[in-house]
Amino acid sequence: MPLKRTLSRWAVIFYGLGTILGAGIYVLVGKVAGHAGNFAPLAFLLASFIALFSVISYAELSSRFPKSAGEAFYIQKAFENNWLSTLVGWLVVFTGLVSAAVLARGFAGYLQLFFTLPVWLAVVLLVPCLGTVAIWGIKESAILIMLITLIEAGGLLFIIFLPGHELLKASNLWQAFTPVSIQEWSGIFSGAFIAFYAYVGFEDMVNVAEEIKSPEKNLPPAMFWVLALATLLYLLVALAIISTLSIEELTQSEAPLASFIEKKGYSPILIGLIGLIAVINGALVQMIMASRVLYGMAKQQNAPRALGWVNSFTQTPVLATVVVILIVLVFALWFDVEDLAKITSSIMLCVFIMIHLSLIKMKLRKTLPENAVVYSIFFPVTGAILSFFFLISQLWS
């Protein structure tokens, strides 16, 4: 049974934005600042620049082949290698599982503002509930994601406007964007490597391509909108936070935005609640993505056939979602947040390199499906080079 096409362009934008916002600022801004210091905004900007080239490649490929398990399908079409296609598909699933685990741990951190609950118990309560929503239906999940994304974006806007005119003072901007020493640049690159995780999410959008109305027309522009909006919010929030909190305060906080609000003299309860909602949203999107990739791989006979079973009532891949729930629980209960984020960034950079190479190979064949969006070959070539050196520089550091 095919998946049901119910998602509009705006629904897809909220879907992608919900993943990115939850993963980035609400959980990892303190970790980024721990490496980049006051240059955290620059670290986010650098990560966005590198992600842009991947967005361009994904946009073109998604218009060529609007399929679930997009990455695995792209690799198969380019290299006609089942082993490589299967490997990439499983890597994408793994990143979705790890990302959901990061956010589940972030949920536990923000929950401490309201209840003193063991991390393991918070995780065990959250993950099955999100899995149930994912099973319920993609349209229902998308509506929930859209509402939550509006709430979490509102929380970020509150953070941005709280410092008022101080945020864009020339001295603050100069301090945040003018590193001079090699040590500062090294910290920025290390911070950008973690911040890169904050942009993981745009690629998830291709994995619901079979549930999008007119994906060739709606998916590529939605991806650019998501990256642009997320980058703008990240830069402004990072500027606001580093102008208020010390680096030590940031790195020690499990709920950095709540710490920012508290330092400003306000109760952290509201932003803590929004932080909870944000990480819930991000985790939900990642779990949906992972289950859809498993479904797509099963259809391509690169995963157990049972994972491709779609429930006739919910029209969602139920067994694949149950598998996702179980694995996310394991990751969230046994691994550290920063380690999980670094693992995700490393794997996604490897996947992005393969995606760039796939598009390059397709372009050299000079065959173009109808309605496909086309960009210059400069972008996948540059993207592959940047991703490779970014990955190597961090693995050797």
Side-chain angles (χ1 to χ4, degrees):
M1 177 181 293
L3 298 173
K4 189 176 181 180
R5 294 193 183 277
T6 58
L7 302 180
S8 66
R9 180 183 298 184
W10 279 106
V12 179
I13 290 173
F14 278 104
Y15 177 89
L17 198 58
T19 311
I20 290 180
L21 295 185
I25 288 293
Y26 281 94
V27 177
L28 290 177
V29 64
K31 308 296 183 185
V32 173
H35 290 270
N38 288 327
F39 300 108
L42 188 55
F44 278 107
L45 186 61
L46 176 60
S48 174
F49 177 73
I50 294 171
L52 173 62
F53 290 90
S54 295
V55 168
I56 293 171
S57 288
Y58 269 90
E60 180 167 339
L61 286 167
S62 67
S63 71
R64 287 172 177 256
F65 309 107
K67 300 286 185 182
S68 294
E71 290 92 345
F73 192 85
Y74 306 153
I75 299 296
Q76 177 62 33
K77 283 293 183 180
F79 297 102
E80 298 178 350
N81 185 311
N82 284 333
W83 179 86
L84 188 59
S85 172
T86 302
L87 174 63
V88 169
W90 282 110
L91 287 176
V92 172
V93 171
F94 184 77
T95 60
L97 298 172
V98 173
S99 295
V102 169
L103 295 167
R105 290 292 296 268
F107 168 84
Y110 275 97
L111 191 63
Q112 303 308 313
L113 294 170
F114 305 93
F115 308 104
T116 303
L117 204 64
V119 170
W120 69 266
L121 182 56
V123 168
V124 168
L125 290 173
L126 174 69
V127 174
C129 289
L130 295 183
T132 302
V133 174
I135 289 171
W136 183 22
I138 187 64
K139 183 177 181 180
E140 292 76 12
S141 298
I143 291 171
L144 179 61
I145 288 166
M146 187 180 298
L147 293 173
I148 292 176
T149 301
L150 286 171
I151 293 171
E152 62 187 280
L156 295 181
L157 290 173
F158 178 65
I159 294 286
I160 290 166
F161 288 112
L162 198 58
H165 67 279
E166 293 289 322
L167 178 65
L168 298 179
K169 279 179 62 176
S171 58
N172 290 340
L173 294 175
W174 180 261
Q175 183 183 30
F177 292 102
T178 54
V180 292
S181 69
I182 294 176
Q183 185 177 4
E184 287 173 339
W185 275 110
S186 176
I188 290 166
F189 272 91
S190 295
F193 190 68
I194 298 173
F196 189 79
Y197 168 82
Y199 293 98
V200 170
F202 69 84
E203 78 288 348
D204 295 348
M205 298 160 71
V206 306
N207 293 309
V208 292
E210 293 183 35
E211 295 163 281
I212 299 173
K213 300 173 184 176
S214 304
E216 300 91 343
K217 181 178 70 174
N218 289 322
L219 189 49
M223 297 175 75
F224 288 108
W225 271 109
V226 165
L227 182 65
L229 291 171
T231 301
L232 180 62
L233 287 170
Y234 283 175
L235 288 178
L236 294 176
V237 169
L239 274 171
I241 288 179
I242 64 170
S243 68
T244 302
L245 295 176
S246 69
I247 301 304
E248 184 179 1
E249 288 172 321
L250 266 174
T251 54
Q252 291 178 354
S253 176
E254 292 295 325
L257 299 196
S259 299
F260 168 84
I261 293 292
E262 198 166 19
K263 188 73 175 284
K264 283 291 185 180
Y266 295 90
S267 170
I269 297 300
L270 178 59
I271 199 67
L273 181 60
I274 295 174
L276 275 177
I277 293 171
V279 295
I280 288 171
N281 196 29
L284 173 60
V285 174
Q286 290 293 338
M287 291 175 69
I288 291 173
M289 180 278 289
S291 66
R292 295 321 189 262
V293 177
L294 286 175
Y295 158 82
M297 290 177 64
K299 283 182 61 180
Q300 298 167 28
Q301 299 182 338
N302 291 328
R305 184 179 299 177
L307 297 176
W309 175 66
V310 175
N311 182 276
S312 59
F313 177 72
T314 63
Q315 292 187 279
T316 56
V318 174
L319 185 58
T321 307
V322 171
V323 170
V324 166
I325 292 170
L326 295 175
I327 299 176
V328 169
L329 280 172
V330 171
F331 285 166
L333 293 173
W334 268 277
F335 292 95
D336 175 73
V337 168
E338 186 170 338
D339 291 338
L340 289 170
K342 287 180 177 178
I343 290 169
T344 304
S345 292
S346 299
I347 294 174
M348 285 314 303
L349 282 167
C350 292
V351 172
F352 290 164
I353 291 168
M354 292 304 303
I355 292 299
H356 291 308
L357 294 177
S358 298
L359 182 56
I360 292 168
K361 188 163 185 179
M362 289 181 195
K363 282 180 171 292
L364 293 176
R365 290 178 187 162
K366 298 183 178 179
T367 56
L368 188 65
E370 188 179 354
N371 298 324
V373 176
V374 181
Y375 304 105
S376 168
I377 197 171
F378 165 82
F379 294 109
V381 170
T382 306
I385 294 170
L386 282 175
S387 297
F388 176 76
F389 281 107
F390 191 42
L391 176 63
I392 294 300
S393 69
Q394 292 308 306
L395 293 179
W396 283 358
S397 63

